[in-house]
Amino acid sequence: MKPSNTEPEFSADDHAFMQEALRLAESATRRASPNPGVGCVLVRDGRIIGRGATRPAGDDHAEIQALKDCAARGESPRGATVYVTLEPCSHHGRTPPCAAALIREGVTRVVAAMVDPYPEVAGRGLAMLEGAGIDIRVGLMADEARRVHRGFLSRVSRQRPWVTLKAAATLDGKTALLNGKSQWITGPEARLDVQRLRAASDAILTGSGTVLADNPRLTVRDVQVEHQPLRVVLDGRLVTSPDREIYRGGGTLLASCADDGQLSRWREAGCETLVLPRANGHADLGALLAHLAQRGINHLMVEAGAGLNGALLRAGLVDDIVLYLAPALAGDAARGLFAWPALEDLADKTPLTVRDVRMVGRDIRLIVRPG
């Protein structure tokens, strides 16, 4: 295979076709989980003859969908170039290997944005294609592909989901009044944007404090989804009760440090339960994220209070912060975003990298990355 970190060998057309494949991948990310949502485009004589994106687990991968689309158009993939956002698989899982299908159909060139780090693939698919005489190019728009596939890559490489922490605050950084009232800090457009974030997540994590204060459901509303994200409640000391809204209707995991026998009331209410070990006197957050990764969670959204927000950030377990800032002031005594120890020196502050800033209705949405 011929990897390339230098873009000049790729043409403007190559970039345009890979951009289309990335668009398809983005649209498939949630439905494909725990698999990566891959996008694939077949091109011959400068025109697209097939498009595909990964179907839900157990169904077609992107390459097979693209080949089927090609056939439905009355086209032949023989001699075509394949643009795919992740290396075609080489192993028999729930579906046959895509690399073998591409060889069988007679494509002559495969451009992959990146190698698949999954141990059962990890270069084998590209080697299979190259061994069949297919021209292989790797690395086109790799940074964009890593962004699109970040949840899958995190789960495979770090054994934990990609963690996005969402928070809403006034311009002076307050999330609620001292009496706990927090509805509504932001406007309807920002709240709808939050629903889109939920819809793009495999699971949503909150803490016992939020369950007690707000009694949330944490379901996706006003946005169409094929299935609701898993709801995860971290309640280390079992201070919530099974009659809270979030425990109703199934689809909720209660994670606690309590003995398993103490969790029977929640199981009777239809919840899954998980007993976590303690770390430094608190629930082991790393163990919780590892458990979620093992069950195939690629993207985890956090909607919690200052305590859990601060604990995750201090533990280095937050990848992105999506912060909605309302053009209002709540006063010095109101509640803040993160439970954080007092600093003695500004050199000890936590640096953040701004990734995106935009208006959502009357509110400002910031996407920042720790570190």
Side-chain angles (χ1 to χ4, degrees), residues 168-170 174-176 181-187 191 324-328 363:
T170 55
K174 304 302 180 181
T175 62
K181 292 182 179 179
S182 61
Q183 295 181 332
W184 294 102
I185 287 177
T186 55
R191 296 199 295 273
Y324 298 89
L325 288 175
D363 304 307

Side-chain angles (χ1 to χ4, degrees), residues 66-279:
L67 290 170
K68 287 182 175 180
D69 182 45
C70 182
R73 297 171 185 236
E75 299 277 1
S76 169
R78 188 160 298 278
T81 293
V82 180
Y83 296 88
V84 63
T85 61
L86 195 65
E87 170 188 4
C89 65
S90 56
H91 67 293
H92 282 268
R94 295 185 184 181
T95 58
C98 295
L102 295 175
I103 293 168
R104 185 172 59 250
E105 294 294 338
V107 305
T108 55
R109 181 176 182 240
V110 172
V111 180
M114 60 180 298
V115 174
D116 187 342
Y118 188 64
E120 292 190 45
V121 185
R124 293 182 182 89
L126 294 170
M128 181 187 294
L129 293 165
E130 190 170 47
I134 295 173
D135 181 24
I136 303 299
R137 293 289 185 272
V138 183
L140 174 61
M141 303 183 74
D143 288 344
E144 291 89 338
R146 280 189 286 268
R147 181 190 63 79
V148 170
H149 297 309
R150 62 192 180 278
F152 171 76
L153 297 176
S154 177
R155 182 171 64 81
V156 171
S157 302
R158 303 189 295 179
Q159 291 75 55
R160 71 165 178 83
W162 184 271
V163 177
T164 298
L165 190 155
K166 166 263 169 184
T170 55
L171 206 56
D172 51 351
K174 304 302 180 181
T175 62
L177 301 180
L178 199 57
N179 62 13
K181 292 182 179 179
S182 61
Q183 295 181 332
W184 294 102
I185 287 177
T186 55
E189 295 89 352
R191 296 199 295 273
L192 179 60
D193 201 57
V194 171
Q195 296 300 319
R196 296 190 185 102
L197 278 179
R198 289 181 182 179
S201 303
D202 301 312
I204 302 170
L205 170 65
T206 195
S208 56
T210 299
V211 173
L212 291 174
D214 299 338
N215 196 21
R217 286 178 292 166
L218 290 187
T219 53
V220 178
R221 301 182 298 278
D222 304 318
V223 176
Q224 187 174 358
V225 289
E226 294 184 15
H227 55 87
Q228 291 284 342
L230 175 71
R231 297 174 294 179
V232 184
V233 178
L234 180 61
D235 184 359
R237 297 178 292 113
L238 279 188
V239 297
T240 61
S241 61
D243 61 357
R244 303 259 82 178
E245 288 286 342
I246 199 167
Y247 297 124
R248 296 180 179 176
T252 301
L253 171 69
L254 171 64
S256 177
C257 298
D259 294 333
D260 186 69
Q262 297 176 272
L263 301 174
S264 59
R265 292 169 56 212
W266 283 264
R267 286 194 289 268
E268 290 167 3
C271 291
E272 294 182 67
T273 59
L274 172 68
V275 176
L276 289 174
R278 289 188 176 274

